[in-house]
Amino acid sequence: MAQRVHVVLVDDIDGSDAEETVTFGLDGSTYEIDLNAAHASQLREALAAYVGHARRVSGRRTSRRSSAPARSGSPSGSGSGPSAAEIRGWARENGLEVPERGRVSAEVRQAYDAAH
């Protein structure tokens, strides 16, 4: 027997028809809310000033990360690629400036990846 399921999104604010589910996070928790276009826009506008000054923590979605092939030869054995120390060493040998500690810039990582 075949079934046809029709899902109707209802705006969680006012009960009108919703066009999308918006996902956002705060204080370590992730939330989803079904909203119509006007409410989704209002939410994004309310958060825009904060998002504009914030650091992005989850740059990749889990599904995309898991589909990427793991690198071999990682010193940690985690398959997550070369260590920051390896990249810094390579960068210095190739005349690039890198900090002694802290995060290695995306540009330096991209240059390393392109060379390997």
Side-chain angles (χ1 to χ4, degrees), residues 43-94:
L43 176 61
R44 289 185 175 103
E45 287 173 15
L47 295 175
Y50 299 98
V51 170
H53 290 88
R55 291 180 303 277
R56 186 173 189 147
V57 175
S58 58
R60 296 184 186 169
R61 293 181 184 249
T62 304
S63 61
R64 191 166 63 181
R65 182 177 298 171
S66 64
S67 66
R71 291 181 178 227
S72 59
S74 171
S76 64
S78 67
S80 62
S83 70
E86 286 179 302
I87 295 173
R88 279 190 186 90
W90 173 87
R92 287 186 187 111
E93 290 171 4
N94 289 279

Side-chain angles (χ1 to χ4, degrees), residues 5 40 52:
V5 178

Side-chain angles (χ1 to χ4, degrees), residues 2-87:
Q3 290 183 342
R4 181 175 292 177
V5 178
H6 183 74
V7 177
V8 177
L9 291 179
V10 176
D11 187 293
D12 291 324
I13 303 297
D14 66 7
S16 65
D17 289 342
E19 283 100 33
E20 64 179 301
T21 300
V22 178
T23 304
F24 63 99
L26 181 66
D27 295 336
S29 296
T30 303
Y31 301 91
E32 287 187 340
I33 187 168
D34 299 327
L35 298 172
N36 63 33
H39 286 140
S41 179
Q42 289 171 357
L43 176 61
R44 289 185 175 103
E45 287 173 15
L47 295 175
Y50 299 98
V51 170
H53 290 88
R55 291 180 303 277
R56 186 173 189 147
V57 175
S58 58
R60 296 184 186 169
R61 293 181 184 249
T62 304
S63 61
R64 191 166 63 181
R65 182 177 298 171
S66 64
S67 66
R71 291 181 178 227
S72 59
S74 171
S76 64
S78 67
S80 62
S83 70
E86 286 179 302
I87 295 173

